[in-house]
Amino acid sequence: MPARVLCVLSLFFFSIPLLAEPGTAQTTEQPRAALNAGNVSSPLIISAQDIVSDKTLDDIGAEIRSIYKSGVAEHAGQSAIDLSTLLQRAAAVSTRTDKLMARIKPYQDVYQSFVDILGKPPTKDDPPEVASITEQRESLNRRQKDISARMTRLKLYQVEAQQLVNELRQHDSAIQQATLWQQLPSPLGINFWSQFIQAAPQDGRRLHALGAETLAMLAVAMTGKRIFITFAGLCGSVLLLVGWLCARKPIRLLTTRFLPQGRIRPIAATVVCGLVSVLACAISFQVFWNTLAFDNPAVGDDLDQLASMVATQAPLCGLVLELGFCFLSRNAEWRIFTMSDDLARNLRLFPSWLAIAMIVRGILRYVDTQSGLSLLSVQLMDGLYTLAVSPLLFAIPRKLRLTAAQDEDTEQTGTEQTPPLAQFLRSLAMGISIICWIAVLTGYIPLAYTLISWVSVMALSMTTLLLLSMLVTAAGGALFASRAPLGRHLVELGLPPRLINQASILIPGLVNVLLLAVAYAVATSGANFDPPQIWQQLYSLFHGTEDSNTSSVSLDAILLCIALPLVGYQAIKIVKSWFQQRFFPATSLDIGAQASILSILGYAAWILIGLAMVAALGVTLKSMTWVVSALSVGIGFGLQSIVQNFVSGIILMAERPVSVGDVVTIAGVTGKVERISVRSTDIRLDDKSTMIVPNSQFITSAVKNATRAQKPGVFTVELDLPFASDLNKASSVVIATLSACEDTDPDSPPTVSMTSVADGSAVLTGSAKARDGVEIKTARSSALFAIWQAFQENEIPVTFRQTVRAP
């Protein structure tokens, strides 16, 4: 019966219908009879065929062979778009195999559980088992073999799919590099135009077909009742654009009302306006296109592809226009960067030209990949685009230089010079413009087009990221500092101002690091500004490569290594505070034991944090073999003293021969122990200086600990009295004087005892405890002075033989 319950629980856990009741193979006959009573001929659980069918496996294999044939075996003539599609198919196959393996593996474990329940088959000396049990064991073994075979095929397909992904990525990169440096006939030569004229009739027919398709789509959209739908979509798009243009003033009013005065106002307004422009342009284009294409039979794949590529450029177009409006605002108060009104007016047309170039770039992406035009026709359009856009890189620096020269002539001040970085950027932009022109005229049109596209995308991306970085930095100083509006509320909640100021600097710094990572991903994702490619670059940057033979040093691992010490420091601080405020007051541990416990706890926690950081970087013990070997050699030659001090520090904390607060004498110097670390011990001397003693000296040399001979805070005074003195009177005077002394503890009564008789004198020893907050040396000095005056007043002869036994 327990075996039957185990089977039911296993089947319920994996949500598998129970079709028969299995039994257990025991050495007795009663469980076997129970198994025989059930209908064991029916299957126990569903077959692996129902989970991963042969058809599914065959389809996966056929898909892998098709991808290999299309993308690897016959990759000549493949475009980057085709390889990107094949790469997505290969990644989908890899993901599918992972999911199927995750589904089938639990069934393999369940079958093994049933086999274990039935037990091993009987040997020759054992009595024969029931035939139904033998049949069921054979059925389970067959099912196990079937699942193992399907798991093997899935693992093989998984490996092949991953290899396809890697090879397609390599081929894609190779094709891009080969295309980038491909030299075509120069547009200045006859060969270029003769080939262009030969392909012109075919290209004309292709463009005519695309134009006819566009006219047919518009004709359908403007006939009958559809004209009202088209007009409504056009009105909706226009209203969105008008709303975007009219939203700038309300946004600036809101920033003026809720944000403090300073740079944060124009920066925040620019960021919000840029976000509104991106959303407005993207939604506006989608609304208009979906209105035209909705239930329109004239819309074909060509127009759909063209619209999708233009749609990716519409938000960028709106962002360029909005950044131009904000950076070159007519109101100097809302300009992020300081510039003269003349310079802002002279640069005001450039954002519009760049926005038009973005839209044209979307059309050219369709021409390059999906139009079907001849190679020279495509390159001619790319070359014309490059020749039209590259002058912007030349004209903007030239306009900046001319305006600066005019301002100097007007003001007649030549004291201010252009920063070197600005001069370098101007020269770089003009140099790229000249290189693009030379590349087009010499036939390297793909290189020029890729370069000008990459520069345009990077200029827009870097400007946006710089704007976000400025916003985060300005917000940290203007809003979240301890004296800022939000920072004051945090201080009122109990957070220390120092911590708030540090966070207002540290958090923007971390955000800037993330923005740099995004900038790197954009820069290495190519000139197409494809969000999937950018995301892939970010994923690779954060998670690193999948090579199991190397450590996984990636950005997320580095950020985790930065966060672990910060979080660990705060956690250790909280735990130590709990021990000091809650746990130690409830115990009888002295201050030395408390300090040792806290020190050992802190060092152990930091060791664990270090191990966690090493694990986050993927460093294993095997890979640390060379480090251990190097440390062994270093310890053998030059680190003996460091290791010796470290071990001695652990011994001091564990055995506590010397504790914090003890008065010790070592190497002829007496002082109070203030701190014990794993390497050294700090001793406070009488002149308020600190002597740092290596821990090994406390283990290997003689140390006098005056505190361990008596209770902490107790001091003694020895008095030599002649035999002629009245010892009872002297004892009473000592007790009364010590009790009346201001620096002694009134709750601890002093004591007096005769400790020895020698050389014609008796030795009286008085003991008292110093008051809290008073040093023993000070209390003993004041007590000696008071006893001296008291003995003088009572005419008691005395000679002092001072032996200090104070901690």
Side-chain angles (χ1 to χ4, degrees):
M1 292 301 293
R4 184 178 301 176
V5 173
L6 178 60
C7 293
V8 172
L9 292 176
S10 299
L11 297 177
F12 176 75
F13 179 78
F14 291 104
S15 301
I16 302 171
L18 183 63
L19 301 180
E21 293 184 357
T24 180
Q26 304 289 344
T27 57
T28 61
E29 293 294 333
Q30 183 176 359
R32 294 179 181 272
L35 280 171
N36 193 24
N39 183 15
V40 295
S41 61
S42 60
L44 291 174
I45 53 179
I46 61 177
S47 174
Q49 174 72 21
D50 300 329
I51 307 170
V52 182
S53 63
D54 293 334
K55 184 179 182 303
T56 301
L57 294 173
D58 294 339
D59 292 342
I60 293 176
E63 178 71 5
I64 291 177
R65 288 191 295 271
S66 175
I67 296 172
Y68 177 80
K69 183 178 180 181
S70 301
V72 179
E74 300 177 358
H75 66 274
Q78 292 284 347
S79 65
I81 299 298
D82 296 333
L83 285 179
S84 178
T85 303
L86 293 174
L87 183 60
Q88 293 177 0
R89 289 171 59 187
V93 171
S94 179
T95 303
R96 186 180 182 187
T97 55
D98 292 340
K99 291 181 179 179
L100 290 176
M101 289 178 63
R103 287 184 57 190
I104 199 172
K105 185 171 176 49
Y107 291 89
Q108 190 179 29
D109 298 336
V110 171
Y111 278 123
Q112 185 61 43
S113 299
F114 279 121
V115 171
D116 295 339
I117 291 172
L118 291 177
K120 298 181 179 179
T123 61
K124 294 181 179 180
D125 298 333
D126 295 334
E129 64 180 359
V130 181
S132 60
I133 296 179
T134 303
E135 180 183 356
Q136 186 164 325
R137 183 183 293 108
E138 293 176 353
S139 175
L140 288 173
N141 290 331
R142 287 193 301 270
R143 292 172 183 270
Q144 269 193 315
K145 293 180 181 178
D146 185 25
I147 287 184
S148 298
R150 297 177 189 276
M151 286 284 292
T152 302
R153 290 186 65 182
L154 285 174
K155 289 179 181 178
L156 178 61
Y157 290 155
Q158 184 186 38
V159 172
E160 291 180 348
Q162 188 61 41
Q163 290 178 351
L164 277 177
V165 170
N166 295 333
E167 291 186 14
L168 287 172
R169 286 176 178 172
Q170 294 177 1
H171 290 162
D172 189 15
S173 177
I175 288 176
Q176 289 181 357
Q177 292 295 328
T179 304
L180 185 64
W181 295 101
Q182 181 182 7
Q183 185 179 14
L184 301 172
S186 172
L188 300 178
I190 300 176
N191 190 18
F192 180 90
W193 295 105
S194 61
Q195 295 182 20
F196 175 75
I197 293 173
Q198 291 177 2
Q202 183 179 356
D203 294 339
R205 289 191 294 271
R206 183 73 181 101
L207 293 175
H208 182 269
L210 182 62
E213 185 178 349
T214 304
L215 292 177
M217 178 195 67
L218 294 176
V220 173
M222 301 300 291
T223 57
K225 296 181 180 180
R226 286 189 59 90
I227 190 174
F228 298 103
I229 300 176
T230 304
F231 182 74
L234 179 61
C235 291
S237 300
V238 173
L239 287 177
L240 285 173
L241 296 177
V242 172
W244 156 44
L245 297 176
C246 295
R248 194 174 299 111
K249 185 175 181 180
I251 290 174
R252 290 177 176 177
L253 291 176
L254 290 175
T255 55
T256 304
R257 179 177 180 181
F258 293 103
L259 295 180
Q261 189 175 4
R263 291 195 66 193
I264 190 173
R265 286 184 179 179
I267 295 175
T270 303
V271 171
V272 176
C273 291
L275 180 61
V276 171
S277 67
V278 169
L279 294 176
C281 291
I283 297 175
S284 175
F285 182 83
Q286 291 294 339
V287 168
F288 180 68
W289 171 251
N290 291 331
T291 303
L292 292 177
F294 175 73
D295 197 20
N296 194 329
V299 177
D301 293 337
D302 291 335
L303 283 180
D304 191 48
Q305 290 288 340
L306 176 60
S308 64
M309 293 183 180
V310 174
T312 60
Q313 304 298 315
L316 301 180
C317 176
L319 181 60
V320 169
L321 291 174
E322 185 59 42
L323 292 179
F325 290 148
C326 295
F327 286 176
L328 309 174
S329 175
R330 299 180 185 277
N331 189 351
E333 179 185 357
W334 294 101
R335 297 174 193 160
I336 298 177
F337 302 104
T338 304
M339 64 179 67
S340 63
D341 294 338
D342 294 337
L343 179 59
R345 183 171 57 255
N346 294 334
L347 296 177
R348 201 158 286 155
L349 291 177
F350 288 100
S352 302
W353 296 352
L354 185 57
I356 296 173
M358 288 290 178
I359 295 297
V360 175
R361 182 172 170 273
I363 299 174
L364 287 180
R365 289 193 63 190
Y366 167 79
V367 171
D368 294 341
T369 58
Q370 303 292 332
S371 63
L373 298 177
S374 63
L375 178 61
L376 289 183
S377 298
V378 171
Q379 297 304 322
L380 177 61
M381 294 184 183
D382 292 345
L384 292 176
Y385 174 83
T386 304
L387 295 177
V389 175
S390 57
L392 293 176
L393 300 178
F394 189 90
I396 294 176
R398 181 176 179 273
K399 185 66 68 175
L400 292 173
R401 188 176 65 254
L402 292 177
T403 305
Q406 292 176 1
D407 293 341
E408 290 182 359
D409 293 339
T410 303
E411 299 177 2
Q412 295 182 355
T413 57
T415 56
E416 296 185 0
Q417 297 181 355
T418 305
L421 180 60
Q423 294 180 358
F424 172 75
L425 293 177
R426 292 177 185 176
S427 302
L428 180 63
M430 298 174 68
I432 292 175
S433 176
I434 296 173
I435 291 174
C436 289
W437 273 69
I438 295 175
V440 170
L441 298 179
T442 56
Y444 289 97
I445 298 177
L447 174 62
Y449 176 73
T450 303
L451 181 60
I452 199 66
S453 299
W454 185 83
V455 169
S456 301
V457 170
M458 284 302 299
L460 181 59
S461 303
M462 294 302 104
T463 302
T464 305
L465 295 177
L466 176 62
L467 189 62
L468 293 176
S469 175
M470 294 172 61
L471 176 63
V472 173
T473 304
L479 297 179
F480 296 98
S482 60
R483 296 183 179 180
L486 295 179
R488 288 196 295 267
H489 290 292
L490 296 176
V491 172
E492 293 175 357
L493 293 176
L495 293 177
R498 179 178 59 84
L499 181 61
I500 295 175
N501 291 330
Q502 292 175 355
S504 65
I505 298 175
L506 181 61
I507 294 177
L510 294 177
V511 174
N512 290 332
V513 171
L514 295 178
L515 293 178
L516 285 176
V518 175
Y520 171 79
V522 174
T524 56
S525 61
N528 293 329
F529 201 79
D530 291 327
Q533 184 68 18
I534 296 175
W535 173 252
Q536 180 64 33
Q537 292 296 114
L538 278 175
Y539 183 86
S540 301
L541 180 63
F542 273 83
H543 294 275
T545 59
E546 297 180 357
D547 188 2
S548 59
N549 296 325
T550 59
S551 59
S552 57
V553 179
S554 55
L555 188 57
D556 60 343
I558 295 175
L559 293 178
L560 183 60
C561 291
I562 295 175
L564 279 175
L566 298 177
V567 177
Y569 171 77
Q570 295 297 329
I572 293 172
K573 186 177 179 181
I574 294 173
V575 172
K576 286 186 175 181
S577 176
W578 180 84
F579 271 95
Q580 291 175 340
Q581 299 179 6
R582 301 291 300 275
F583 180 73
F584 287 151
T587 64
S588 59
L589 297 174
D590 56 26
I591 186 173
Q594 296 177 11
S596 298
I597 292 174
L598 292 179
S599 298
I600 294 175
L601 179 64
Y603 290 123
W606 281 114
I607 290 174
L608 293 177
I609 293 173
L611 293 176
M613 294 170 62
V614 171
L617 293 175
V619 180
T620 60
L621 294 177
K622 182 178 180 181
S623 61
M624 290 290 291
T625 304
W626 65 273
V627 179
V628 176
S629 301
L631 287 178
S632 301
V633 176
I635 291 173
F637 285 97
L639 301 179
Q640 300 100 325
S641 60
I642 296 178
V643 175
Q644 185 180 10
N645 291 327
F646 180 82
V647 175
S648 300
I650 299 298
I651 294 175
L652 289 177
M653 293 179 185
E655 296 183 357
R656 295 192 300 114
V658 176
S659 301
V660 175
D662 291 355
V663 174
V664 298
T665 301
I666 183 172
V669 179
T670 302
K672 182 179 180 181
V673 177
E674 287 200 340
R675 187 178 71 91
I676 300 176
S677 65
V678 293
R679 192 194 66 84
S680 61
T681 299
D682 296 347
I683 298 178
R684 186 65 172 258
L685 304 181
D686 293 339
D687 58 356
K688 306 302 180 181
S689 62
T690 300
M691 184 175 70
I692 301 175
V693 181
N695 288 331
S696 59
Q697 293 192 16
F698 286 92
I699 304 300
T700 59
S701 61
V703 180
K704 179 181 179 180
N705 192 338
T707 306
R708 295 180 67 88
Q710 55 190 14
K711 297 180 180 180
V714 177
F715 64 91
T716 59
V717 178
E718 293 184 355
L719 306 170
D720 289 351
L721 301 179
F723 286 155
S725 301
D726 189 350
L727 296 181
N728 293 329
K729 181 179 179 181
S731 299
S732 301
V733 171
V734 170
I735 292 176
T737 304
L738 291 176
S739 300
C741 187
E742 296 180 354
D743 294 333
T744 58
D745 188 2
D747 297 331
S748 299
T751 59
V752 176
S753 61
M754 180 181 292
T755 57
S756 65
V757 176
D759 298 331
S761 62
V763 179
L764 291 181
T765 301
S767 299
K769 184 178 182 181
R771 185 167 51 86
D772 292 341
V774 178
E775 294 185 358
I776 295 177
K777 183 178 179 180
T778 303
R780 186 175 183 280
S781 176
S782 61
L784 282 173
F785 187 76
I787 291 174
W788 175 265
Q789 287 185 338
F791 275 25
Q792 293 292 329
E793 293 174 357
N794 290 275
E795 298 181 352
I796 300 175
V798 62
T799 58
F800 287 96
R801 181 164 56 91
Q802 300 180 7
T803 302
V804 181
R805 295 180 182 175

